[in-house]
Amino acid sequence: MKRPGLKFLLASMVLVACAIPALPARAQGLTLDVVNGIPSAIPITIVPFGFESSTQPPATDVAAVIQDDMVRCGKFRTLTGSDIVEHPTHAGQIHFSTWKLLKQDYLVIGRERLVGHGQIRVAYELWNVTAQKKMLAGAYNAVPEELRGVAHQIADRIYQAITGQPGAFYTRIAYVTTTGSGKSMQWSLVVADSDGHHPQVVVRSRQPLLSPAWSPDGKQLAYVSFESGDSAIYIQNLSTGQRRLISGRKGINGAPAFSPGGKRLAMMLSFGGSPEIYVENLSTGQLTQVSHNLSINAEPRWMPDGQALVFTSDRSGKPQLYTEPVGGGGATRLTFQGEYNSNAAVNFDGSQIAMMQGMGNVYRIAIMDRKLDNQMRFISPGPLDESPSFAPNGSMLLYASTDNNGHGVLYEVADNGSVRQRLSLVNGGVQSPAWGPYRIPPASQGN
């Protein structure tokens, strides 16, 4: 993976490509490995769920998926294996003295049983060990192939009950994979669960695909393709496979980003000469130029209020982040630390901006805290890290990097950098991650 300076970015945008739209299909899944983890301040045990029917239990271990979710968000530490000395599945079986001795703050128990029509009922409870109080309880009916989704929804509810913030485990991510080499190289735009499971191909191409971006409702993806011989921006409906050409203008068409309301699309276009930031009204097609500078202006990202954009520009000599109102009024420089700052990602309330920051030949992911006088903290080790994307609750990020063999990989990292997990493709590379919005889950059912 080359380091993406702005000139390299522009050069890559004019590669010839030919994207072929497709309805969702099976894709090669990502492999998730824990790279490092630092125990967090909240101890919680997810006891293996009991299976109360005489048949074989389903292949999906719901409790294990919940436990993995708790660990990867960086805010919890869990007991595992033989450290879980008791296995209650009902409230009356809980010996709170045991869990106090093990210094556990929270306990999750559950049970599963067949309920007919091929469905399994999953019931769960969250207990406060110190108060000996049940904080949460619920149940889901689902067929076996839906159990991972059920586990993510339970993890979201547990996360919110303890932290007060919505969980982001029952979400999806988009990314681009590359397989093969030379003339047999193939790019695929893929959508998967937040932990890399259940991948589905959205687009296949014999040439590069770039810059996937989610609509706020999670029903569409914008991306860059090259089927006309030059870059073009499309929006594709994920359920039907139908797509719409947004911009195939002369020159560069790149870096699409949906507005928070989903009615506008910010883009980098160069049909007027130098690359500038534009916003298009998706209903009327009206195009508004936001930036006005003879430098390279790229990678627009919306602030949460929809009134301003953050983007990369080299107008100061080297790439830095700037912000400018959508209606114009001039750009304000945001970043001053580091030789190189680009690839902005804005969290849900605009209080944090993640970026790729370069110093010398080392590129790491940094987060600027706007509530703390724009203080910077690094959450990746480098040396070739880029393209951060926040989870919708801001608790985790995805970013792209390379492994020791030069293959593209993704990392999922807690916002404090305490836990980092690698998502890799066994026979190829993966890049250009984009974390999707919240999904509306099916209603859970009471006990």
Side-chain angles (χ1 to χ4, degrees), residues 57-65 112 120 143-149 151 198:
T60 298
D61 187 335
V62 171
V65 175
E112 304 171 26
I120 296 169
V143 295
E145 56 266 28
E146 295 173 343
L147 288 179
R148 288 195 70 89
H198 297 148

Side-chain angles (χ1 to χ4, degrees), residues 169-192:
F169 307 116
Y170 186 63
T171 54
R172 294 181 294 176
I173 60 176
Y175 50 88
V176 173
T177 65
T178 57
T179 56
S181 61
K183 293 183 179 180
S184 64
M185 177 79 77
Q186 179 170 275
W187 283 257
S188 296
L189 174 57
V190 181
V191 169

Side-chain angles (χ1 to χ4, degrees), residues 73-98:
C73 74
K75 290 181 170 55
F76 300 90
R77 62 177 173 84
T78 65
L79 295 181
T80 60
S82 61
D83 291 333
I84 302 176
V85 296
E86 296 178 355
H87 293 78
T89 59
H90 293 265
Q93 300 170 344
I94 299 175
H95 300 133
F96 288 101
S97 58
T98 299

Side-chain angles (χ1 to χ4, degrees), residues 270-318:
S270 69
F271 67 91
S274 62
E276 299 282 9
I277 305 302
Y278 291 82
V279 170
E280 181 170 319
N281 184 307
L282 294 175
S283 297
T284 66
Q286 180 181 353
L287 193 67
T288 301
Q289 184 173 344
V290 177
S291 66
H292 295 81
N293 192 280
L294 294 179
S295 62
I296 297 173
N297 304 285
E299 303 170 339
R301 300 292 184 267
W302 292 86
M303 294 299 289
D305 62 5
Q307 300 301 309
L309 291 164
V310 176
F311 61 95
T312 306
S313 178
D314 64 355
R315 64 188 63 190
S316 62
K318 292 185 177 181

Side-chain angles (χ1 to χ4, degrees), residues 114-176:
L114 293 176
V115 291
H117 303 288
Q119 291 192 317
I120 296 169
R121 186 171 181 82
V122 182
Y124 67 95
E125 300 170 14
L126 169 66
W127 286 82
N128 182 307
V129 173
T130 301
Q132 300 185 27
K133 178 181 178 181
K134 182 163 64 177
M135 299 175 60
L136 191 64
Y140 293 83
N141 291 349
V143 295
E145 56 266 28
E146 295 173 343
L147 288 179
R148 288 195 70 89
V150 165
H152 292 318
Q153 292 171 60
I154 295 172
D156 280 344
R157 295 199 68 201
I158 293 169
Y159 183 95
Q160 184 164 17
I162 296 174
T163 69
Q165 284 188 312
F169 307 116
Y170 186 63
T171 54
R172 294 181 294 176
I173 60 176
Y175 50 88
V176 173

